[in-house]
């Protein structure tokens, strides 16, 4: 699995539409608000032309892409924390996601009502952000209540946690996202179990009907101001293309016809990988040619653990070749003969595009 991503936004922003464009899962899309009640979950293969070309060198092996999971939840409205609309309980379903895609409506359509009567991306973004902050405050206050009890009972560990939680809660009360509080990596790790929503990286998705417009430019601006990712997707059109055929080549043809060079999925993945600092490595062992996702900076044994815990525990060395080189030479044998195979130890940092064979005891 590459990463998983929760879709948030106002009702009728086009979350389910974008979800369908990304996953072709056929979730219900309606012109009235709150059409999504039960969360939709969809898994997609990460398209990667490098994997396609690598797999062409091994026609007898199965091609296994790395995957991504998307969660499409109900719409948030102003006052959701106080029970408006469908409330905010459903946000618990995305507390474990790695990233958030914040879908913002940037298309005009008199047949699709806006909960606030008009389109205003800046205001719309702030409404959703406030509700996410209030959900985090709720989570933090619950956690604080428990930790205070433990601290009063004299637990030293609890005292330390209390200090951190109080500091985070006071930042959130001031309207600051947890990710903007300048926490250390260690503090972030201590908070992870709480699943705080505003601690997660965000990609803003402008759902544009046709092309980028003043609305989507406002979304891009908001993304820039927050150091967040940004993509514009023609949600409705891409959903229709995704649902018209299962054939990837045919879909690409349709997209080109409509002037879309690269699918929304591909662009969202690129933004997500950048934001989460993810890279892809490949393996060709056994019956599969396969892509794997790890965080940049991951060492060889820990990358191996993705495949099998033994690969970490019994790691001896890894044989590595950059995929570009392997594709250029045409076979692993040719790479070996040319002395191009790198033998690396446990301190080796995996690079994007490495083809790796793990040698274990
Ligand atoms: N004209 C136009 N309509 C769109 C576009 N994207 C979505 N819609 C329409 O907007 C309406 C709402 O879309 P949904 O995808 O159901 O919105 P949602 O955000 O999932 O809404 P809730 O589940 O109610 O929160 C539907 O009627 C869609 O067909 C677009 O790019 N252009
Ligand atoms: Mg929906």
């Amino acid at each position: 699995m590459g990463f998983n991503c929760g879709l948030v936004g106002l009702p009728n922003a086009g979350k389910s539409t974008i979800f369908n464009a990304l996953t072709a899962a056929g979730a219900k899309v309606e012109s009235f608000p709150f059409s999504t009640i039960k969360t939709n979950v969809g898994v997609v293969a990460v398209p990667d032309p490098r994997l396609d070309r690598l797999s062409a060198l091994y026609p007898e092996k199965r091609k296994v892409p790395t995957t991504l999971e998307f969660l499409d939840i109900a719409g948030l409205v102003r006052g959701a924390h106080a029970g408006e609309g469908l409330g905010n309980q459903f946000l618990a379903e995305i507390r474990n996601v790695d990233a958030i895609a914040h879908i913002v409506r940037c298309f005009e359509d008199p047949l699709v009502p806006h909960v606030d009567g008009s389109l205003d991306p800046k205001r719309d973004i702030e409404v959703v952000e406030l509700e996410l902050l209030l959900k985090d405050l709720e989570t933090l206050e619950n956690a604080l209540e428990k930790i205070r009890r433990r601290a009063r009972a004299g637990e030293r560990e609890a005292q330390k946690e209390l200090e951190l939680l109080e500091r985070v809660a006071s930042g959130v009360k001031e309207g600051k996202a947890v990710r903007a509080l300048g926490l250390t990596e260690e503090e972030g790790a201590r908070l992870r179990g709480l699943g705080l929503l505003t601690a997660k990286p965000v990609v803003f998705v402008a759902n544009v009907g046709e092309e980028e417009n003043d609305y989507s430019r406002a979304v891009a601006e908001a993304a820039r101001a927050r150091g967040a990712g940004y993509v514009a997707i023609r949600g409705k059109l891409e959903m229709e293309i995704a649902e018209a055929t299962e054939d990837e080549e045919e879909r690409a043809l349709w997209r080109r016809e409509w002037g879309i060079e690269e699918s929304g999925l591909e662009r969202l993945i690129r933004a997500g990988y950048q934001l989460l600092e993810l890279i892809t490595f490949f393996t060709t062992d056994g019956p599969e040619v396969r892509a794997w996702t790890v965080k940049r900076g991951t060492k060889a044994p820990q990358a191996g653990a993705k495949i099998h815990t033994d690969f970490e525990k019994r790691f001896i060395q890894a044989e590595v070749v950059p995929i570009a080189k392997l594709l250029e030479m045409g076979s692993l044998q040719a790479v070996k003969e040319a002395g191009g195979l790198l033998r690396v130890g446990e301190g080796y940092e995996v690079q994007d595009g490495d083809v790796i064979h793990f040698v274990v005891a």
Side-chain angles (χ1 to χ4, degrees):
M1 175 88 75
F3 62 93
N4 55 7
C5 178
L7 273 49
V8 304
L10 293 182
N12 269 353
K15 296 179 295 302
S16 298
T17 302
I18 299 274
F19 173 80
N20 287 341
L22 299 172
T23 65
K28 199 167 58 134
V29 166
E30 303 278 5
S31 62
F32 50 80
F34 305 116
S35 57
T36 303
I37 296 172
K38 215 177 135 284
T39 299
N40 298 303
V41 183
V43 175
V44 289
V46 174
D48 189 335
R50 297 175 300 179
L51 178 68
D52 298 337
R53 292 176 60 206
L54 181 62
S55 147
L57 299 183
Y58 301 89
E60 74 287 0
K61 297 192 185 200
R62 201 158 59 95
K63 178 173 82 178
V64 185
T66 177
T67 59
L68 276 184
E69 187 179 65
F70 290 104
L71 286 90
D72 168 36
I73 58 174
L76 275 171
V77 280
R78 196 190 306 277
H81 67 286
E84 285 298 317
L86 295 174
N88 71 0
Q89 289 312 310
F90 57 85
L91 286 177
E93 306 210 27
I94 56 163
R95 49 188 296 261
N96 293 323
V97 299
D98 301 309
I100 285 182
H102 185 154
I103 317 292
V104 188
R105 173 167 170 178
C106 296
F107 65 88
E108 306 225 34
D109 188 337
L111 298 178
V112 180
H114 187 293
V115 277
D116 281 319
S118 63
L119 246 74
D120 183 342
K122 189 166 172 291
R123 175 203 61 204
D124 292 356
I125 287 172
E126 286 168 3
V127 167
V128 171
E129 284 182 332
L130 180 60
E131 291 305 320
L132 296 178
L133 280 166
L134 289 165
K135 183 70 186 180
D136 280 354
L137 197 56
E138 188 184 308
T139 307
L140 284 160
E141 274 167 359
N142 285 335
L144 271 166
E145 207 182 291
K146 283 187 206 136
I147 212 81
R148 282 203 188 100
R149 235 176 288 143
R150 285 175 44 204
R152 271 199 302 273
E155 266 185 63
R156 191 150 339 134
E157 228 3 69
Q159 199 59 47
K160 215 172 113 199
E161 286 313 294
L162 185 62
E163 185 277 321
L164 173 64
L165 291 185
E166 276 174 342
R167 181 152 42 94
V168 173
S170 86
V172 169
K173 258 183 224 155
E174 286 169 24
K176 289 192 196 127
V178 176
R179 77 181 81 79
L181 294 179
L183 301 179
T184 65
E185 209 161 298
E186 187 256 342
E187 289 170 331
R190 271 158 62 200
L191 289 174
R192 199 146 305 139
L194 293 179
L196 296 172
L197 300 170
T198 66
K200 300 176 191 295
V202 179
V203 180
F204 284 92
V205 179
N207 181 18
V208 292
E210 296 187 0
E211 52 208 13
E212 298 209 42
N213 51 29
D214 284 344
Y215 299 124
S216 67
R217 281 187 278 277
V219 177
E221 179 51 43
R224 239 192 325 274
R226 290 159 175 77
Y230 167 80
V231 291
I233 298 183
R234 296 170 71 175
K236 197 173 179 189
L237 174 63
E238 288 221 34
M239 173 180 116
E240 282 162 4
I241 293 172
E243 290 179 348
T245 166
E246 282 180 16
D247 184 335
E248 247 335 298
E249 275 173 37
E250 225 172 298
R251 282 177 182 164
L253 225 62
W254 276 109
R255 278 196 295 268
R256 226 163 297 139
E257 194 108 328
W258 286 99
I260 301 172
E261 284 307 317
E262 212 183 5
S263 72
L265 177 64
E266 287 167 292
R267 287 177 296 122
L268 183 58
I269 287 173
R270 180 131 30 77
Y273 269 57
Q274 225 167 51
L275 213 58
L276 295 167
E277 299 179 75
L278 300 176
I279 57 169
T280 304
F281 75 91
F282 303 91
T283 56
T284 59
D285 294 320
E288 294 171 348
V289 175
R290 189 157 177 170
W292 305 86
T293 302
V294 287
K295 193 144 177 115
R296 189 179 295 283
T298 300
K299 301 272 163 59
Q302 286 71 45
K306 279 252 149 191
I307 305 165
H308 199 296
T309 48
D310 271 2
F311 283 18
E312 181 176 8
K313 277 187 255 156
R314 297 163 51 203
F315 181 89
I316 292 178
Q317 64 171 10
E319 297 175 351
V320 179
V321 54
I323 191 164
K325 186 166 198 171
L326 175 54
L327 292 173
E328 183 197 312
M329 312 266 309
S331 77
L332 207 51
Q333 195 53 37
V335 172
K336 271 186 196 161
E337 279 164 17
L341 199 62
L342 217 62
R343 291 194 168 77
V344 299
E346 58 183 19
Y348 176 75
E349 211 171 84
V350 173
Q351 303 295 306
D352 187 46
D354 276 351
V355 181
I356 307 182
H357 168 66
F358 292 91
V359 182
V360 293

